[in-house]
Amino acid sequence: CDWSSDVCSSDLAIVNTLGELAEQASKHDLVIGIENEHACNIATGVEAAAILKAVVHPNLQLVWDPANALVAGEPLPFPEGYAGIPKDRIIHVHVKDCHMEGHKPIWGPVGTRAVLWREQVAALLADGYKGYLSLETHWPGPNGDKFLASTICGWNMRGLAAG
């Protein structure tokens, strides 16, 4: 079955389980954040939108990761993947950047690859997002210096978030 065509019977177990989990979380004033992750059941923006449409519960929210959507095969996580996601259900955003060579992600400095971060951040702000942007540096950095990679990505992200 394919999330892009609404929820089918093979996905009902996921929908039911997430609904039950969200209900249990509400009793403890907790929120469940599901991340779109290319190695899991909900990988793209389209899939995330479908699951949020199927499980309408305020205690089930989305951790939006456009780079994961790109790696999962969504050619334009922004604006296309992002378009269908209920904006009031994004609780957190993961920030990393890459482009694809075949099926392999090539990680690089935030704001320099295929994820349209400047446009994505502008849309988040315009849509009233008030949550965190969490840096996930996957790029190994110049000469394999991961600390420098995170520093560069952090400065880039700061500039993108400043508008």
Side-chain angles (χ1 to χ4, degrees), residues 2 14 20 25 29 35-36 39 61 67-68 76 79 86-87 89 101 103 108-109 112 120 124 137 139 144 157 160:
D2 181 353
I14 294 169
E20 290 168 10
D29 198 28
E35 179 180 359
N36 64 294
Q61 303 287 324
N68 282 351
L76 291 172
K87 308 313 182 259
R89 299 213 29 216
E101 289 184 4
H103 296 288
T112 68
Q120 176 67 85
L124 286 163
T137 307
W139 173 47
M157 189 171 73
L160 293 166

Side-chain angles (χ1 to χ4, degrees), residues 12-58:
L12 280 179
I14 294 169
V15 168
N16 291 338
T17 300
L18 286 173
E20 290 168 10
L21 184 61
E23 189 54 37
Q24 289 174 15
S26 71
K27 294 174 185 171
H28 301 283
D29 198 28
L30 297 172
V31 172
I32 303 300
I34 55 168
E35 179 180 359
N36 64 294
E37 165 60 50
H38 55 89
C40 296
N41 292 329
I42 302 160
T44 65
V46 169
E47 293 167 354
I51 196 69
L52 293 172
K53 180 180 173 186
V55 184
V56 181
H57 197 292

Side-chain angles (χ1 to χ4, degrees), residues 64-65 93-97 110 117 133-137 157:
W64 174 230
D65 191 322
V93 177
H94 285 175
V95 180
K96 57 185 175 272
D97 210 345
V110 169
W117 276 112
L133 301 174
S134 181
L135 181 61
E136 288 190 309
T137 307
M157 189 171 73

Side-chain angles (χ1 to χ4, degrees), residues 67-132:
N68 282 351
L70 181 74
V71 173
E74 193 162 61
L76 291 172
F78 182 86
E80 293 172 6
Y82 178 77
I85 297 170
K87 308 313 182 259
D88 63 338
R89 299 213 29 216
I90 299 173
I91 194 166
H92 198 76
V93 177
H94 285 175
V95 180
K96 57 185 175 272
D97 210 345
C98 68
H99 68 273
M100 300 299 292
E101 289 184 4
H103 296 288
K104 182 180 180 193
I106 307 300
W107 302 103
V110 169
T112 68
R113 297 296 190 260
V115 177
L116 302 175
W117 276 112
R118 182 166 310 285
E119 296 87 347
Q120 176 67 85
V121 169
L124 286 163
L125 290 170
D127 292 333
Y129 180 70
K130 303 262 188 251
Y132 291 100

